[in-house]
Amino acid sequence: MSRIVGLVACVLIVACGGAATPSPTPTRSISPTVAATADARSCAPVPSGVAVKTASIEMAKGGVVQLALRPDKAPTTVATFISKANSGFYNGLTFHRVEADFVVQGGDPQGDGRGGGNQATELNDLPFCKGSLGIARGNDIKISNDSQFFICTGTCRFLDRMYTNFGQVSSGMDVVLGIRVGDKIKSIRIG
């Protein structure tokens, strides 16, 4: 896998005419087909007895995505997400990145994938599969963004233990799959 990552970096450097700049977003390191066959059944419902927090993303164009947040696996990330949602921080922000069978990403106050603050990364054993909720980060695996989140629209097991996984879509995956670049978040409610 390190040879693939090295090859991708070389292609980016040659194609862009220089060193690639860090991005606070997950990147594909293997094809979605390979990732899907790695473990398509990996995301089971939250085990009974695990305390979850719930969140609802209401889209401005209509539709609601229900999330099961996992403070048992990423307590600081969940607390930050809840605090921002309760303050209205996400209201009116857009999804600035949409990649089929990979991720939709939003929550950037600048709207271009470069905004937000920092927080410590909380790696855990939750698998990144379709519907997983993650937090963006740059090149330093120890530092994550404090506002930009992504939802996997395909199996993304190559992100396991590389990004903070802090929840799972519990309903509304059809709404997630309908998100386009520029779609606005009307509100995120914790409940």
Side-chain angles (χ1 to χ4, degrees), residues 53-157:
K53 300 283 187 178
T54 59
S56 300
I57 302 173
E58 184 179 357
M59 299 299 296
K61 70 179 188 179
V64 175
V65 179
Q66 299 287 335
L67 303 170
L69 306 178
R70 296 292 300 271
D72 62 315
K73 298 292 185 175
T76 301
T77 303
V78 170
T80 300
F81 184 80
I82 288 172
S83 175
K84 286 183 180 291
N86 284 338
S87 74
F89 174 86
Y90 291 111
N91 299 355
L93 296 184
T94 63
F95 280 88
H96 63 274
R97 180 180 187 203
V98 175
E99 292 192 38
D101 298 318
F102 185 37
V103 297
V104 297
Q105 185 169 326
D108 176 12
Q110 289 182 206
D112 61 5
R114 295 185 293 173
N118 295 323
Q119 66 183 356
T121 300
E122 296 177 291
L123 302 180
N124 57 57
D125 61 352
L126 292 176
F128 277 100
C129 51
K130 189 172 185 174
S132 291
L133 180 63
I135 200 81
R137 69 168 176 79
N139 286 338
D140 185 350
I141 196 169
K142 296 176 188 170
I143 308 293
S144 288
N145 195 282
D146 73 344
S147 63
Q148 291 187 47
F149 64 90
F150 61 90
I151 300 171
C152 293
T153 57
T155 300
C156 302
R157 294 300 306 271

